[in-house]
Amino acid sequence: ARLSPRHEVAATGIPSPPASAAPQISNAARCYTSLRESRTAVIIVVALALFTDMILYDVIVPILPDILRRVGQDESYMGLLLAVYAAGLLLFTPIFGVWSDRTKSRKTPMLLGQLGLGLSTWLFIYSRSITLLMIARFLQGTLRVLTVNSYTVL
């Protein structure tokens, strides 16, 4: 009696798996894949990134005078801190824009930007000198470029 093609043995002597034996995907992987393909999930992630980015500006500007007093400076440094932020944006937009365009996924620049914004905001909050405040604001402007470039395209 001849065996069905499903049970035939290859020339190497090893039975070939049935054609219907596709690799099993776990429920977690299926859930992750469906989230990545969901427009709603993408919109939520982008909205959270935009919220985090904008809150840096909307929250920091009103409390700048208090922060400057804490480090022993007057309000005349407010303009400088805003200018340093803008300088970071201006200088690094072309550089990070090209890098972001050359990456396969916008996820990496966006996540690095969010992580960097978090760390630079932490530095800003805990700074005890005007120099550290300026470095933190420059980093915030620089790293904002990564998040803005990424979610603008998405």
Side-chain angles (χ1 to χ4, degrees):
R2 188 155 168 25
L3 294 174
S4 68
R6 199 168 68 161
H7 295 88
E8 287 182 3
V9 176
T12 60
I14 301 171
S16 59
S20 64
Q24 297 296 319
I25 299 174
S26 71
N27 285 338
R30 226 179 259 125
C31 180
Y32 176 73
T33 303
S34 68
L35 278 175
R36 285 197 59 173
E37 294 172 355
S38 165
R39 281 184 73 89
T40 304
V42 170
I43 289 170
I44 289 170
V45 168
V46 170
L48 285 173
L50 183 59
F51 173 77
T52 305
D53 179 48
M54 293 314 236
I55 198 106
L56 286 175
Y57 188 80
D58 294 341
V59 168
I60 287 178
V61 170
I63 63 171
L64 271 178
D66 295 330
I67 292 171
L68 287 168
R69 275 187 237 111
R70 183 188 71 207
V71 297
Q73 302 297 329
D74 59 6
E75 287 86 8
S76 63
Y77 280 91
M78 265 183 75
L80 182 60
L81 287 175
L82 295 174
V84 167
Y85 178 85
L89 278 169
L90 180 68
L91 294 173
F92 284 92
T93 296
I95 296 166
F96 287 150
V98 170
W99 176 61
S100 180
D101 287 342
R102 291 187 179 170
T103 59
K104 290 182 180 180
S105 168
R106 303 253 182 214
K107 180 172 65 171
T108 302
M110 187 174 183
L111 291 176
L112 287 174
Q114 288 295 305
L115 178 66
L117 278 172
L119 292 173
S120 61
T121 301
W122 181 85
L123 176 64
F124 185 80
I125 291 168
Y126 292 105
S127 294
R128 296 291 177 218
S129 71
I130 190 67
T131 304
L132 284 177
L133 284 174
M134 287 194 294
I135 290 169
R137 285 299 284 167
F138 183 80
L139 288 173
Q140 286 174 342
T142 300
L143 294 165
R144 180 176 186 258
V145 173
L146 288 174
T147 56
V148 169
N149 282 348
S150 298
Y151 65 67
T152 306
V153 172
L154 292 176

